[in-house]
């Protein structure tokens, strides 16, 4: 096999992308308060903001859309989706939701009370936000090695099981209505979690009677890493690895916008009969009837097909190699990227690029801004803007260990030549890193400020 397996597809539909000039981009950035979430997408040349809902659907998915059954209740499309969900995840019950955070919201609304705590290896922003918005506490208990951007270990998303046990003892299991693990760990560099760690985490949760839920957005990419890296899994089919992973849990939430390669959709799966009744009631109130959950029949069909495509071994070999290509090319050019690379994104270590910019001046946000101005590339900050928070006891700001710029790669969208262009732009931007002075916040929302905050450049 070549070092970087070729795209296992050819292109049938194309969408033009627009180039802008530097002066235009400088003006557009100033107008949107240096927050790339507030740019118009048509003003972006290469959009690496997210891998969520931005993938290219296959001809089989588009064909399935024509077969969507739009019946209000009991649609054929629901049963097609159910077949895929049952075989891959193997939980007793499931409901579709319109996306991942809707599944989180429904789950937390029936399980979480103010003052409760939810541990995770690392919560992503919406999970964190959904817990905090309900008066809960979201606790990150990832192994310390994750804080080292360059520690070359195979499963840097692993939970620190000893820390988890201590946390449960200190908090009291009665204050922990559920425990989670996120595969792959998006907030910490897209790093995978090993099967051994999932098993050990489940064992601890269950010993204390705590239900265990997997945040499964990128479960297929995680299964591929297990197959490639974990002893004993090299000859196991990905479906079997997925079945084993979910067999340790009591349920999962999933944003299907990632590994099911759809533009919209999510899932909430669980085993407990009583909990399922409460979930259904909440779903009816907020999302829709349990056989469509806020989606149309055609969305359910596309998800059913996409779940299988996202778990396909040839597709995943290409997917992981495509991302690795970008990471390796950047590293060759001397760009400090989190190592080893994950599956859905490459992460630049902003503190290494801008050692002269302190975290309260948002170095990662400053690089995001510079990359757009330099080459029309939209990336996203996963650092102090997104994750810094006030300590509830002392009121002091707590900054995250990692200050990252994420270059998220939409599935089946950009070619290797697009990635080469990204490398050129990043390199050119970082050659002038000394001139970057950081940012300050002009306005921010009380929760999840990164989506809407406005900034000014520090000069
Ligand atoms: N959990 C993880 C680990 C995620 O990465 C996301 C979304 C969600 C939950 C929520 O899913 O967007 O469908 O509501 N992550 C996207 C991203 C937005 O850019 O990483 P959603």
């Amino acid at each position: 096999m070549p070092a970087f397996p070729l795209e296992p597809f050819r292109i049938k539909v194309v969408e033009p992308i627009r180039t802008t000039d530097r002066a235009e981009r400088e003006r557009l950035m100033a107008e949107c308060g240096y927050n790339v979430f507030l740019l118009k997408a048509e003003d972006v040349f290469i959009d690496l903001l997210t891998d969520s809902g931005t993938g290219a659907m296959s001809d089989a998915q588009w064909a399935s859309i024509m077969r969507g059954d739009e019946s209000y209740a009991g649609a054929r499309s629901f049963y097609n989706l159910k077949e895929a969900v049952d075989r891959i995840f193997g939980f007793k019950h499931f409901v579709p939701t319109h996306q991942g955070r809707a599944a989180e919201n429904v789950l937390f609304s029936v399980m979480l009370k103010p003052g409760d705590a939810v541990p995770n290896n690392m919560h992503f922003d919406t999970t964190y936000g959904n817990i905090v918005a309900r008066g809960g506490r979201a606790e990150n208990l990832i192994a310390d090695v994750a804080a080292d951007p360059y520690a070359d270990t195979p499963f840097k998303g692993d939970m620190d099981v000893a820390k988890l046990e201590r946390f449960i003892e200190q908090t009291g299991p009665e204050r922990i209505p559920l425990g989670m693990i996120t595969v792959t760990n998006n907030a910490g560099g897209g790093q995978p979690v090993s099967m051994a760690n999932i098993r050990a985490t489940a064992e601890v949760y269950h010993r204390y009677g705590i239900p265990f839920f997997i945040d499964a957005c990128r479960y297929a990419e995680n299964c591929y890493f297990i197959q490639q890296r974990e002893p004993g899994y090299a000859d196991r089919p990905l479906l079997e690895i997925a079945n084993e992973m979910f067999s340790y849990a009591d349920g999962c939430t999933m944003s299907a916008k990632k590994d099911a390669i759809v533009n919209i959709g999510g899932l909430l799966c669980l085993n407990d009969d009583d909990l399922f009744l409460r979930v259904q009631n909440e779903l009816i109130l907020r999302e829709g009837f349990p056989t469509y959950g806020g989606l149309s029949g055609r969305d359910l069909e596309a998800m059913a097909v996409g779940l299988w495509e996202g778990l396909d071994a040839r597709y995943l070999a290409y997917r992981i190699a495509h991302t690795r290509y970008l990471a390796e090319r950047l590293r060759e050019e001397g760009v400090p990227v989190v190592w080893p690379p994950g599956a859905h994104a490459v992460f630049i270590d902003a503190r290494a690029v801008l050692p002269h910019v302190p975290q309260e001046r948002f170095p990662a946000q400053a690089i995001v801004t510079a990359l757009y101005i330099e080459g029309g590339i939209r990336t996203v900050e996963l650092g102090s803007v997104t994750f810094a928070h006030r300590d509830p006891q002392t009121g002091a700001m707590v900054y995250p260990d990692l200050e990252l710029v994420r270059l998220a790669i939409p599935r089946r969208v950009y070619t290797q030549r697009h990635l080469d262009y990204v490398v050129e732009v990043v390199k050119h931007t970082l050659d002038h890193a000394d001139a970057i002075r950081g940012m300050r916040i002009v306005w921010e929302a009380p929760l999840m400020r990164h989506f809407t905050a406005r900034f000014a450049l520090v000069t």
Side-chain angles (χ1 to χ4, degrees), residues 50 52 99-101 104 124 126-127 182 186 215 217-218 255 257-258 406:
T50 179
S52 180
Q99 59 182 76
R101 71 199 70 183
E104 291 160 13
F124 195 62
T126 58
T127 331
T182 303
N186 185 8
D215 179 337
C217 299
R218 301 180 181 84
S255 168
K257 297 167 73 172
K258 284 83 168 173
R406 185 183 73 174

Side-chain angles (χ1 to χ4, degrees), residues 32 80 150 153 204 259 264 280 309 342 355 390 402 432 441:
C32 72
N80 287 344
Y150 311 108
T153 62
V204 172
D259 275 357
I264 198 73
Q280 280 186 309
E309 292 184 1
R390 264 184 211 291
L402 295 174
H432 301 95
I441 289 186

Side-chain angles (χ1 to χ4, degrees), residues 18-58:
R18 193 170 89 84
T19 48
T20 46
D21 62 39
R22 193 188 173 96
E24 198 179 353
R25 291 193 295 270
E26 276 173 351
R27 176 178 58 76
L28 291 166
M29 266 314 244
E31 279 171 13
C32 72
Y34 299 96
N35 186 338
V36 290
F37 280 104
L38 307 179
L39 283 170
K40 283 187 182 160
E42 65 181 8
D43 295 329
V44 174
F45 184 49
I46 305 286
D47 204 346
L48 307 182
L49 182 71
T50 179
D51 64 318
S52 180
T54 52
M57 291 210 294
S58 65

Side-chain angles (χ1 to χ4, degrees), residues 5 17 45 57 59 128 157 202 254 261 291 305 349 352 357 369 396 403:
I17 46 179
F45 184 49
M57 291 210 294
D59 55 353
Y128 178 90
M254 180 176 178
I261 326 180
T291 61
V305 177
D349 176 6
V357 179
T369 298
E403 186 72 32

